Amino acid sequence: MAGSSLRNNGFELTFLLLVLLAGAASLKAGLAMPSSPWEAIGNGAFPTVLGGGALGLGALKTIEMLLRGDRAGAGAPGLSWRIPATFVLMAGYVGVLASGVVHYVASTALFCFLFFLLLAPVRDMKAVTGLALLSAGYAAAVFAIFTRFFFINL
């Protein structure tokens, strides 16, 4: 029952496993970072929370997939090219951030916009405009929170 559903959703299962692996790696790296005595939350807090969140959400998705059983179809249409595209987009984003060539807000806004476009089922102009505004607002908010409240230089 559940086994055939998991076999039918190979791309979903692959993506879930990659998210779980990335979450575990982030959690391990965050816990391994030494704390500084003059920082309130320490360097490892963000990757630890991010990794724990990814593992928690991955566990919920795993439970949902197992409980879904054979009621699921063969997965969402077009999923086969979207999963590799998301990983290429994420790798490019990390590369841009590491290079420091593009400011954090601009690169994050562009990444979020492209990521949302990749996953959004609607392509009308109103939705695209909304996604652009959401992406810019999100990037600016994250930048403000981390630089003003956590004193982390992005």
Side-chain angles (χ1 to χ4, degrees), residues 63-96:
I63 292 168
E64 185 266 334
M65 284 178 69
L66 292 173
L67 293 177
R68 185 171 54 199
D70 288 330
R71 294 178 304 218
L79 195 60
S80 61
W81 70 269
R82 288 181 185 188
I83 290 174
T86 58
F87 280 97
V88 168
L89 183 61
M90 284 188 264
Y93 173 64
V94 169
V96 168

Side-chain angles (χ1 to χ4, degrees), residues 7 24 34 62 66 71 75 77 85 96 99-100 106 109 120-122 126 132 134 147 152:
R7 281 193 298 275
T62 302
L66 292 173
R71 294 178 304 218
V96 168
S99 72
V122 181
K126 186 177 179 179
L134 177 68
T147 56
I152 296 174

Side-chain angles (χ1 to χ4, degrees), residues 29-115:
L31 291 173
M33 288 182 177
S35 269
S36 173
W38 56 85
E39 290 181 341
I41 60 173
N43 293 338
F46 183 71
T48 301
V49 170
L50 186 65
L55 286 174
L57 291 173
L60 289 175
K61 182 63 178 173
T62 302
I63 292 168
E64 185 266 334
M65 284 178 69
L66 292 173
L67 293 177
R68 185 171 54 199
D70 288 330
R71 294 178 304 218
L79 195 60
S80 61
W81 70 269
R82 288 181 185 188
I83 290 174
T86 58
F87 280 97
V88 168
L89 183 61
M90 284 188 264
Y93 173 64
V94 169
V96 168
L97 283 179
S99 72
V101 175
V102 182
H103 190 270
Y104 176 83
V105 175
S107 61
T108 301
L110 181 62
F111 166 75
C112 289
F113 177 69
L114 294 175
F115 194 74

Side-chain angles (χ1 to χ4, degrees), residues 127-153:
V128 170
T129 304
L131 291 176
L133 292 172
L134 177 68
S135 300
Y138 173 76
V142 167
F143 182 78
I145 289 168
F146 276 83
T147 56
R148 304 285 186 228
F149 295 111
F150 296 136
F151 304 106
I152 296 174
N153 187 14

